[in-house]
Amino acid sequence: MERLDKRVAGSLTRFYVVALCVVAMLTISGLFLIRRAINRLNHDSRIVNVAGRQRMLSQRLTKLAVLKTTGIPHRDHADAAALLDQWKNSHQQLASRKLPVGGRLVVWKSQALDSMFAALNPVFDSLFVQLSNAAGDSTPVRDRQLALGHVLDKEQEYLAGMDRIVYQFDRENVGRLENLERIEWILDIMTILVLFAEGLLIFRPVVNTTRRVVRMLTESENALQQSNEKLKETNRQLVVAQNELLRVEEEKYALQLAEDRVRAAALIEGQEEERKRFALELHDGIGQMLTALKLHAEKLKSVQFHEEKHQKQFGRLTALVQDIIQTTRQVSFNLMPSVLSDFGLQAALKLLCGQTAEASGIRIDFAVVADDSVKLERAVETGLYRIAQEALNNAVKHARATHIDMKLHQNHHLLTLEIADNGKGFLISNLNTEPAPPRIHQGIENIRTRTQLLNGHLEIISKVDSGTRLVIRVDL
């Protein structure tokens, strides 16, 4: 089989490539000639139209000159000067063999046409001068009548010359078409000859070789069937082994996901513990020292300062201490709100909405429908509080919202937290690809991770300029 393939390839490839190249060259040549002929026909038709228009313009200019000279009332209000300029420009373009067509400059070669235009140029120049005099408003009546007489004398000679030019254009066009037709016939005959040679030297040997190959393939079919039976058995064994490998990989992937979830849970739990410790340090350490500093400062209010500016500086210092105390309390609350551990999730979310609305100036409505008899685990309360905190932060800083709704639904089996805003929204499909600030994507990922750690389900509903709604469902 290998020797046969080499023999067939060596004997047929050269003929086949040569035949294809010749056919391709003939085809491309025919297409090029046809395309060129079409372009020339378009150009020739444009040239003939312009030449025919020259006859019409000369007759119209003569008519306008007659009407203006004799004073006959008429409705033709065309601008004679503009028509004269157009007539002159077209004549110069035709005589110089440079006619603009469709943004391009059409150029042609014809000694006969050059001779005709050279013979017609004196007649045209004389007509142009006399038509300018006859159509001019400042020309005396006597001179205008003389100019009109000259125009009438020369008009027939100009029209006859333009007729000869138009007929010459047409004869040359017909000659080019006849020449193209002869070339096309030659190309068609050559293509037929090449195809005949291809069938005789290529396709006939291919048919004979194919017949031999088919006979050899038929003889080897029985051996291939036996080999196929053995391969089927081997394939069945491979499929069993592959299924076993897939099962092991799935178990390994599931174990890895579980490990990642445990690791993330431990990391978040450590973060919460560290936040709690840091919040206590701020509240019980720095907060107490700042409170003591405020008390000592207030005792100094009774001291009389000698200068008023010292009194003002002391007032600003007291206000600054109060701001630092308030900021410290706010940071401590954000790290670990005591109301969450003292009064539960509902009170913490209500307080969070109030503080966020006061700080941002955005209207935030909080509604709760919950069964007070159902006690939530500490991890669930903390996770949902952090989710609400992250969602409010995204809506205030990135969504440009003016109104936010937060709803908490809770019963014995299901807890649902819903946060909706009327901000600018986004496309869900572009969540990981759109050129948005990384903080938005990080916030969404934090919410998704915390929801997964609670064994919950996150639903994001958003459209551009239609706001965003987050729905977190936790099975209790």
Side-chain angles (χ1 to χ4, degrees):
M1 290 295 294
E2 183 178 358
R3 292 194 300 271
L4 180 61
D5 291 341
K6 290 182 178 179
R7 187 169 62 254
V8 172
S11 61
L12 298 180
T13 300
R14 292 189 298 272
F15 295 104
Y16 192 68
V17 170
V18 171
L20 287 180
C21 292
V22 172
V23 172
M25 291 178 59
L26 293 174
T27 303
I28 294 173
S29 300
L31 292 176
F32 174 77
L33 291 174
I34 292 173
R35 183 62 184 173
R36 183 180 178 184
I38 292 174
N39 291 334
R40 291 297 300 270
L41 287 174
N42 292 333
H43 297 164
D44 292 344
S45 63
R46 175 64 176 171
I47 295 170
V48 171
N49 288 336
V50 173
R53 189 184 63 187
Q54 288 296 94
R55 299 179 75 260
M56 180 272 294
L57 288 176
S58 66
Q59 293 174 341
R60 189 174 183 185
L61 288 169
T62 303
K63 182 192 73 172
L64 291 175
V66 171
L67 294 175
K68 191 165 187 178
T69 303
T70 58
I72 299 175
H74 60 90
R75 296 184 180 180
D76 192 348
H77 301 291
D79 188 357
L83 290 178
L84 277 171
D85 291 339
Q86 183 181 5
W87 187 49
K88 181 179 179 181
N89 291 334
S90 298
H91 182 81
Q92 291 175 350
Q93 291 169 356
L94 290 172
S96 61
R97 298 178 299 176
K98 295 180 180 179
L99 184 67
V101 177
R104 299 171 55 189
L105 196 64
V106 178
V107 180
W108 63 93
K109 296 180 180 180
S110 175
Q111 295 181 356
L113 289 173
D114 291 342
S115 301
M116 291 180 182
F117 274 110
L120 189 62
N121 279 334
V123 179
F124 173 82
D125 294 338
S126 176
L127 277 176
F128 181 79
V129 172
Q130 298 303 328
L131 283 173
S132 300
N133 294 331
D137 295 332
S138 60
T139 304
V141 177
R142 178 62 181 171
D143 294 341
R144 191 181 301 171
Q145 290 175 351
L146 293 175
L148 178 60
H150 182 78
V151 168
L152 294 176
D153 290 338
K154 293 291 184 178
E155 182 184 17
Q156 292 302 321
E157 184 179 356
Y158 174 77
L159 294 177
M162 287 304 301
D163 286 340
R164 289 191 295 272
I165 290 174
V166 171
Y167 293 150
Q168 181 63 28
F169 272 126
D170 186 63
R171 284 192 297 271
E172 292 181 1
N173 187 20
V174 172
R176 283 192 291 268
L177 288 177
E178 292 176 350
N179 188 33
L180 176 64
E181 185 176 0
R182 287 191 296 270
I183 296 174
E184 187 66 25
W185 271 107
I186 294 173
L187 291 177
D188 291 340
I189 293 172
M190 292 178 64
T191 303
I192 293 173
L193 292 176
V194 170
L195 292 175
F196 179 76
E198 185 177 359
L200 183 63
L201 300 177
I202 297 177
F203 289 107
R204 186 177 178 182
V206 167
V207 170
N208 295 331
T209 304
T210 304
R211 186 182 296 110
R212 291 194 301 270
V213 171
V214 170
R215 184 171 59 253
M216 296 173 64
L217 290 175
T218 302
E219 294 174 354
S220 63
E221 184 177 0
N222 294 329
L224 289 176
Q225 288 180 353
Q226 295 176 0
S227 300
N228 288 335
E229 293 297 331
K230 295 179 181 179
L231 288 175
K232 287 180 181 178
E233 181 63 27
T234 305
N235 287 335
R236 283 194 293 267
Q237 296 175 0
L238 289 175
V239 169
V240 172
Q242 185 178 6
N243 292 334
E244 184 66 21
L245 288 175
L246 289 175
R247 185 184 63 81
V248 173
E249 289 295 330
E250 289 177 355
E251 292 179 355
K252 182 180 178 181
Y253 180 69
L255 181 60
Q256 184 177 0
L257 287 180
E259 291 178 354
D260 292 341
R261 182 172 297 181
V262 171
R263 191 179 297 110
L267 180 61
I268 291 178
E269 183 178 358
Q271 289 178 350
E272 294 297 336
E273 291 296 330
E274 187 64 20
R275 286 180 176 179
K276 181 178 179 181
R277 186 190 65 79
F278 191 62
L280 291 175
E281 290 291 337
L282 285 176
H283 186 272
D284 297 337
I286 298 177
Q288 296 299 331
M289 289 188 289
L290 289 173
T291 302
L293 177 62
K294 178 185 176 184
L295 293 176
H296 286 297
E298 288 179 347
K299 291 179 181 180
L300 295 176
K301 286 184 177 179
S302 59
V303 176
Q304 297 296 328
F305 294 93
H306 297 289
E307 297 184 11
E308 184 179 357
K309 65 178 182 179
H310 294 162
Q311 182 70 29
K312 292 182 179 180
Q313 291 177 354
F314 177 76
R316 288 194 293 269
L317 178 62
T318 305
L320 179 60
V321 171
Q322 179 62 32
D323 291 340
I324 295 174
I325 293 173
Q326 185 64 30
T327 302
T328 304
R329 290 176 179 174
Q330 184 64 37
V331 172
S332 177
F333 178 82
N334 290 334
L335 289 172
M336 181 54 67
S338 58
V339 67
L340 181 62
S341 57
D342 295 339
F343 300 100
L345 179 63
Q346 299 179 23
L349 291 179
K350 184 176 181 180
L351 182 60
L352 175 64
C353 292
Q355 290 182 345
T356 306
E358 182 178 357
S360 63
I362 298 175
R363 176 186 169 188
I364 303 177
D365 295 330
F366 177 69
V368 57
V369 179
D371 187 354
D372 295 333
S373 64
V374 179
K375 300 301 181 182
L376 300 176
E377 296 180 2
R378 177 67 179 275
V380 175
E381 289 185 338
T382 303
L384 290 174
Y385 180 81
R386 294 302 181 194
I387 290 173
Q389 199 174 30
E390 189 70 46
L392 287 180
N393 181 67
N394 285 344
V396 170
K397 291 186 178 181
H398 306 294
R400 301 177 185 175
T402 59
H403 181 218
I404 304 174
D405 277 326
M406 182 182 296
K407 298 179 183 179
L408 179 66
H409 300 271
Q410 176 185 342
N411 54 34
H412 288 278
H413 306 289
L414 184 66
L415 185 146
T416 303
L417 178 63
E418 181 178 340
I419 302 109
D421 64 69
N422 63 345
K424 61 181 182 180
F426 57 90
L427 291 176
I428 302 297
S429 59
N430 296 337
L431 183 61
N432 296 323
T433 58
E434 64 179 358
R439 184 66 183 85
I440 298 178
H441 295 166
Q442 182 180 356
I444 295 295
E445 288 302 320
N446 289 339
I447 293 174
R448 182 179 286 111
T449 301
R450 289 185 178 273
T451 303
Q452 291 175 353
L453 293 176
L454 295 176
N455 291 324
H457 174 71
L458 171 64
E459 182 182 3
I460 304 175
I461 303 171
S462 181
K463 292 182 180 180
V464 178
D465 299 330
S466 298
T468 303
R469 184 160 65 96
L470 302 181
V471 182
I472 300 93
R473 298 182 179 88
V474 179
D475 189 0
L476 300 179

mmCIF file of all heavy atoms in Angstrom, residues 147 162 319 340 448:
data_model
loop_
_atom_site.group_PDB
_atom_site.id
_atom_site.type_symbol
_atom_site.label_atom_id
_atom_site.label_comp_id
_atom_site.label_asym_id
_atom_site.label_seq_id
_atom_site.Cartn_x
_atom_site.Cartn_y
_atom_site.Cartn_z
ATOM 1 N N ALA A 147 -23.575 89.235 -32.006
ATOM 2 C CA ALA A 147 -23.067 87.988 -31.402
ATOM 3 C C ALA A 147 -24.031 86.839 -31.638
ATOM 4 O O ALA A 147 -23.633 85.713 -31.919
ATOM 5 C CB ALA A 147 -22.824 88.196 -29.909
ATOM 6 N N MET A 162 -19.693 67.685 -33.041
ATOM 7 C CA MET A 162 -19.971 66.858 -31.858
ATOM 8 C C MET A 162 -20.606 65.536 -32.258
ATOM 9 O O MET A 162 -20.348 64.496 -31.620
ATOM 10 C CB MET A 162 -20.887 67.612 -30.883
ATOM 11 C CG MET A 162 -20.197 68.748 -30.140
ATOM 12 S SD MET A 162 -18.722 68.232 -29.229
ATOM 13 C CE MET A 162 -19.405 67.008 -28.128
ATOM 14 N N ALA A 319 -13.601 69.557 70.509
ATOM 15 C CA ALA A 319 -14.435 68.981 69.438
ATOM 16 C C ALA A 319 -13.708 67.868 68.703
ATOM 17 O O ALA A 319 -14.300 66.854 68.326
ATOM 18 C CB ALA A 319 -14.845 70.083 68.451
ATOM 19 N N LEU A 340 -25.390 42.881 67.807
ATOM 20 C CA LEU A 340 -25.598 41.585 67.170
ATOM 21 C C LEU A 340 -25.555 40.462 68.198
ATOM 22 O O LEU A 340 -26.371 39.540 68.169
ATOM 23 C CB LEU A 340 -24.539 41.363 66.090
ATOM 24 C CG LEU A 340 -24.629 40.056 65.303
ATOM 25 C CD1 LEU A 340 -25.943 39.977 64.541
ATOM 26 C CD2 LEU A 340 -23.458 39.918 64.342
ATOM 27 N N ARG A 448 -20.884 35.856 47.779
ATOM 28 C CA ARG A 448 -21.091 34.483 47.294
ATOM 29 C C ARG A 448 -20.386 33.465 48.204
ATOM 30 O O ARG A 448 -20.945 32.412 48.537
ATOM 31 C CB ARG A 448 -20.575 34.370 45.869
ATOM 32 C CG ARG A 448 -20.782 32.995 45.271
ATOM 33 C CD ARG A 448 -20.275 32.906 43.841
ATOM 34 N NE ARG A 448 -21.184 33.606 42.922
ATOM 35 C CZ ARG A 448 -20.886 34.721 42.281
ATOM 36 N NH1 ARG A 448 -19.699 35.278 42.453
ATOM 37 N NH2 ARG A 448 -21.750 35.284 41.459
#
